[in-house]
Amino acid sequence: MHTHGLPGRSPGAPVRAGIPEHGRIPKYYAVKARVAGLLDELGEGGLLPTERELAARFEVSRETVRQALRELLLEGRLRRRGRGTVVAGPKLEQPLALASYTEGVRRQGRRPGRSLVGLDRLACPAALAPDLGVDPLDPVWHLERVLLADDERVGLESTYVAVERAPRLDADFEPDSSFYGYLRERLGIGFGDADERLETVLATPREALLIGTPPALPMLLIHRVSRDTGGRPLERVRSLYRGDRFSFTTHLRGEDG
């Protein structure tokens, strides 16, 4: 019987803490493991020593330290703050369910918000028409907003809906509120079901600028096509989430469950 885990290893951590069977690991990875241990000591918001100080402490080059920190940043364990680097808090868990971003963030004790990028009325492109249940060139709304959690920019949401379904969206809707709440409470439209596709992407330069991240930061992208309780097409949404600040959860049941 082989015990690959390490004492105190958290559930879901890599087997053998990521060490290959031949036992040889890159120098940066060893530094990364030691820095990760330091993060636990510092706690959320704790200021990390400089690259120069870490290189001296671990007796490695600054480039080795830089590579280790780069991975910890991409994993969401660290965050840049001004000219320094601090320990990040836990990732936001967003359910893969018919619930709004607002509801998902609020359940975790964080303050959700959205910042309006633009609300435009345009002629529906032919490729989008079937998802919205309209004819090509029929008028549709395009609502684009930056997603916020405690005033931190964490994503970008792009929503398309037929003007016919929400004719006064530009007049009645508060851009920082829940779009689902607006449809439900103001228009009496309930969500029935949706199809979603999840993939990893890199943000475009424009998206990275709006979210406030480096273009090389991996993003989690969700495409959603929703229908109302009567099965009628309702919306098409493209939601981009920071890969270092989000994880997604879902509950699976067996066929007989």
Side-chain angles (χ1 to χ4, degrees):
M1 177 179 179
H2 299 282
T3 302
H4 295 310
L6 299 178
R9 187 169 68 92
S10 62
V15 174
R16 291 172 55 96
I19 300 173
E21 271 64 22
H22 55 55
R24 298 186 300 274
I25 61 172
K27 186 178 292 185
Y28 87 88
Y29 193 87
V31 172
K32 176 184 173 183
R34 296 179 69 179
V35 173
L38 179 60
L39 304 188
D40 295 333
E41 297 176 17
L42 292 172
E44 182 177 347
L47 182 63
L48 196 70
T50 65
E51 289 181 3
R52 185 186 301 275
E53 292 169 335
L54 290 172
R57 178 185 301 194
F58 300 138
E59 299 180 332
V60 296
S61 70
R62 289 183 63 179
E63 180 54 38
T64 298
V65 170
R66 192 170 296 125
Q67 186 174 359
L69 298 186
R70 187 158 47 239
E71 287 204 359
L72 290 167
L73 281 163
L74 290 175
E75 291 172 5
R77 300 289 307 278
L78 295 173
R79 293 175 58 192
R80 299 292 191 193
R81 178 176 294 172
R83 297 178 61 86
T85 304
V86 300
V87 181
K91 289 187 177 184
L92 289 160
E93 292 186 1
Q94 186 74 356
L96 288 171
L98 269 178
S100 72
Y101 168 80
T102 300
E103 295 164 348
V105 172
R106 190 171 286 149
R107 277 200 295 266
Q108 296 171 76
R110 304 285 295 274
R111 187 177 70 258
R114 289 180 171 91
S115 175
L116 180 66
V117 177
L119 174 58
D120 301 304
R121 178 174 170 145
L122 54 108
C124 185
L128 183 63
D131 291 341
L132 299 183
V134 299
D135 293 326
L137 303 182
D138 280 356
V140 298
W141 296 116
H142 176 222
L143 174 66
E144 187 176 34
R145 297 179 292 175
V146 174
L147 303 174
L148 307 171
D150 291 341
D151 297 322
E152 177 189 8
R153 289 179 287 174
V154 294
L156 185 66
E157 183 181 72
S158 180
T159 302
Y160 292 90
V161 62
V163 170
E164 175 194 0
R165 304 304 303 269
R168 291 181 51 83
L169 187 67
D170 58 337
D172 295 342
F173 178 62
E174 293 294 333
D176 62 348
S177 66
S178 168
F179 178 62
Y180 288 7
Y182 170 78
L183 292 177
R184 182 175 57 246
E185 296 160 15
R186 295 293 299 271
L187 302 181
I189 298 175
F191 282 80
D193 68 302
D195 295 317
E196 286 191 336
R197 178 166 57 88
L198 176 64
E199 59 183 309
T200 57
V201 297
L202 297 178
T204 66
R206 176 181 179 271
E207 291 167 339
L209 183 64
L210 288 170
I211 302 172
T213 60
L217 183 71
M219 296 282 179
L220 298 167
L221 174 61
I222 290 186
H223 300 274
R224 173 185 281 192
V225 177
S226 304
R227 291 167 287 273
D228 62 19
T229 51
R232 185 181 173 191
L234 181 55
E235 63 161 2
R236 172 68 185 260
V237 183
R238 183 183 190 275
S239 299
L240 196 64
Y241 297 92
R242 287 178 54 164
D244 63 335
R245 300 303 298 138
F246 272 91
S247 64
F248 289 87
T249 62
T250 189
H251 175 69
L252 305 177
R253 302 183 63 181
E255 293 181 4
D256 298 329

